[in-house]
C-alpha cells in the first residue's frame, strides 16, 4: 500500500509551481494520495514553516511523507535531507532549520542526505532554482510510492548536525515570571500563539481559569505591548472587542480578541524575535 504525500511551500497558488509539483509526483505514481498542508507560508520564513509542520504532522499516520519547501538558499551548498521522526513520518526538506520544531517536540531518529545523482527528476540537471519540483517532490513521491526505501535516499547524516533555529523555550524565572516565545499567528483571526504548553501553564505556573495576568510582549527585547488580561476557556467568555488569554488548539497559551484581530490591533506579530513575559496580577 502506498503512503500519503503532504506538501508545504511558500509558493502561494498564483502560478503553476504547486501544480507542477503535483504533476511530478503523479508521474512517479498515479496511485498516490497527495494533500496540501499549506502553500501560504510567508515567503522565506523558515521558522513559520517549521512550526506548521509540528502543528500538523502528528495527525497523519506513520509512514506519511511530508515535503516542505521554504528554501531561500535554493541552489546553494545547503544540504537536501529526508528525516525520519520518532513518530514514523518522514520529512523531505532543505537543511535550513525547517526541522527545528519537529526535533524539539517529537524527535528525529535518522537523517539521510538526498543523493541527487539518483533521486532527481530526469532532465532537470541544469535547473538550480526549483528543487521543490526537481528533488523534493520527486524524492518524496518515490518514497511514498515505495519505489525507494529510506536507506536508498542517500548516505546517512548525523542527526546532531542538522541546522536548527533558536526556540526561546519557556521557563519560570526566579522572580516567578513565566517567559517564552510567540511562535506564530493564527493567520485568519490574528491570535498570537506562544510556545508555552498547557502543562507548563497549569502545573508549573499554577494558572487558574478566571485569573488575570500581566502580559508583556517584546520584539528583540523592546517592549511592544503591556496589558492585564483574563484567562478564560473560550472566546465567548468575554465581550466582543475584549482581549483574553486561552489555551489554543495546539495546547499552548494564546492571546486573542473576541471577534477581533489581536496582532493587527496591537501592532504585534510572531517569530523568533518575539517573546512574552507573564506575571500574576
Amino acid at each position: 500500500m502506498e503512503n500519503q504525500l503532504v506538501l508545504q511551500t511558500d509558493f502561494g497558488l498564483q502560478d503553476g509551481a504547486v501544480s507542477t509539483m503535483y504533476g511530478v509526483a503523479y508521474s512517479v505514481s498515479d496511485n498516490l494520495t497527495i494533500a496540501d498542508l499549506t502553500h501560504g507560508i510567508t515567503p522565506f520564513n523558515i521558522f513559520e514553516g517549521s512550526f506548521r509542520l509540528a502543528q500538523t504532522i502528528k495527525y497523519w499516520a506513520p509512514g506519511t511523507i511530508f515535503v516542505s519547501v521554504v528554501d531561500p538558499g535554493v541552489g546553494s551548498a545547503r544540504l537536501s535531507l529526508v528525516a525520519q521522526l520518532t513518530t514514523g513520518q518522514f520529512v523531505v526538506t532543505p537543511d535550513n532549520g525547517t526541522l527545528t520544531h519537529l526535533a524539539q517536540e517529537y524527535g528525529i531518529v535518522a537523517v539521510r542526505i538526498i543523493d541527487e545523482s539518483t533521486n532527481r527528476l530526469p532532465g532537470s540537471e541544469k535547473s538550480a532554482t526549483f528543487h521543490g519540483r526537481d528533488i523534493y517532490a520527486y524524492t518524496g513521491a518515490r518514497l511514498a510510492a515505495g519505489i525507494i526505501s529510506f536507506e536508498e535516499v542517500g548516505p546517512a547524516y548525523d542527526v546532531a548536525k542538522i541546522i536548527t533555529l533558536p526556540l526561546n523555550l519557556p521557563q519560570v524565572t526566579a522572580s516567578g515570571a513565566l517567559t517564552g516565545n510567540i511562535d506564530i499567528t493564527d493567520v485568519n483571526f490574528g491570535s498570537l500563539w506562544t510556545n508555552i504548553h498547557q502543562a507548563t501553564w497549569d502545573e508549573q505556573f499554577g494558572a487558574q481559569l478566571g485569573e488575570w495576568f500581566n502580559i508583556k510582549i517584546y520584539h528583540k527585547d523592546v517592549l511592544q505591548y503591556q496589558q492585564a488580561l483574563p484567562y478564560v476557556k473560550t472566546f465567548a467568555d468575554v465581550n466582543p472587542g475584549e482581549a483574553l488569554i486561552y489555551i489554543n488548539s495546539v495546547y499552548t497559551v494564546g492571546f486573542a480578541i473576541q471577534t477581533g484581530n489581536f496582532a493587527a490591533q496591537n501592532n504585534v506579530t510572531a517569530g523568533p524575535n518575539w517573546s512574552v513575559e507573564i506575571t500574576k496580577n
Side-chain angles (χ1 to χ4, degrees):
M1 179 179 176
E2 295 183 347
N3 290 310
Q4 293 166 311
L5 184 67
V6 182
L7 306 180
Q8 170 178 274
T9 73
D10 60 351
F11 297 166
L13 296 173
Q14 297 89 345
D15 64 13
V18 172
S19 182
T20 298
M21 292 174 68
Y22 267 73
V24 167
Y26 282 131
S27 73
V28 170
S29 171
D30 56 11
N31 292 320
L32 291 174
T33 299
I34 306 177
D36 299 307
L37 194 161
T38 180
H39 298 291
I41 298 297
T42 303
F44 318 122
N45 194 326
I46 298 166
F47 190 91
E48 184 179 329
S50 172
F51 180 93
R52 294 300 181 201
L53 282 171
Q55 176 187 1
T56 307
I57 215 160
K58 68 180 179 181
Y59 298 102
W60 289 82
T64 300
I65 310 299
F66 284 78
V67 171
S68 180
V69 188
V70 184
D71 192 14
V74 62
S76 69
R78 61 96 184 93
L79 297 175
S80 296
L81 305 177
V82 179
Q84 181 183 14
L85 305 186
T86 57
T87 46
Q89 299 89 351
F90 296 84
V91 182
V92 184
T93 191
D95 182 27
N96 59 9
T98 304
L99 297 169
T100 299
H101 286 86
L102 294 174
Q104 173 65 33
E105 294 190 29
Y106 301 104
I108 297 172
V109 295
V111 175
R112 290 190 172 267
I113 301 171
I114 297 175
D115 181 352
E116 296 179 16
S117 68
T118 56
N119 292 306
R120 183 178 185 124
L121 180 68
S124 70
E125 292 77 15
K126 293 183 179 181
S127 172
T129 59
F130 198 176
H131 287 179
R133 173 195 65 194
D134 300 335
I135 298 171
Y136 302 132
Y138 183 71
T139 301
R142 280 160 61 83
L143 277 168
I147 294 171
I148 58 171
S149 66
F150 178 56
E151 291 72 23
E152 291 173 306
V153 164
Y157 188 66
D158 187 349
V159 173
K161 291 183 178 180
I162 64 172
I163 293 172
T164 57
L165 306 172
L167 286 176
N168 186 25
L169 296 175
Q171 62 175 327
V172 178
T173 68
S175 64
L178 176 59
T179 63
N181 201 68
I182 299 174
D183 274 3
I184 207 81
T185 59
D186 184 353
V187 291
N188 286 324
F189 304 105
S191 304
L192 299 185
W193 290 7
T194 74
N195 65 349
I196 301 170
H197 285 273
Q198 185 172 19
T200 301
W201 176 245
D202 289 344
E203 298 167 17
Q204 291 183 245
F205 192 55
Q208 299 290 324
L209 284 168
E211 292 184 318
W212 286 66
F213 297 89
N214 299 309
I215 308 301
K216 293 181 179 179
I217 295 174
Y218 299 87
H219 180 246
K220 296 182 177 179
D221 298 323
V222 177
L223 183 65
Q224 303 292 321
Y225 172 89
Q226 181 175 356
Q227 190 66 47
L229 301 178
Y231 170 39
V232 298
K233 186 175 182 179
T234 191
F235 311 114
D237 292 334
V238 301
N239 294 319
E242 293 182 346
L244 59 115
I245 306 168
Y246 72 112
I247 299 297
N248 60 33
S249 61
V250 296
Y251 306 104
T252 64
V253 173
F255 311 118
I257 292 177
Q258 157 72 301
T259 59
N261 187 310
F262 190 99
Q265 289 179 229
N266 295 296
N267 196 29
V268 292
T269 186
N273 295 317
W274 288 87
S275 60
V276 62
E277 178 185 82
I278 306 174
T279 56
K280 296 184 177 181
N281 193 27

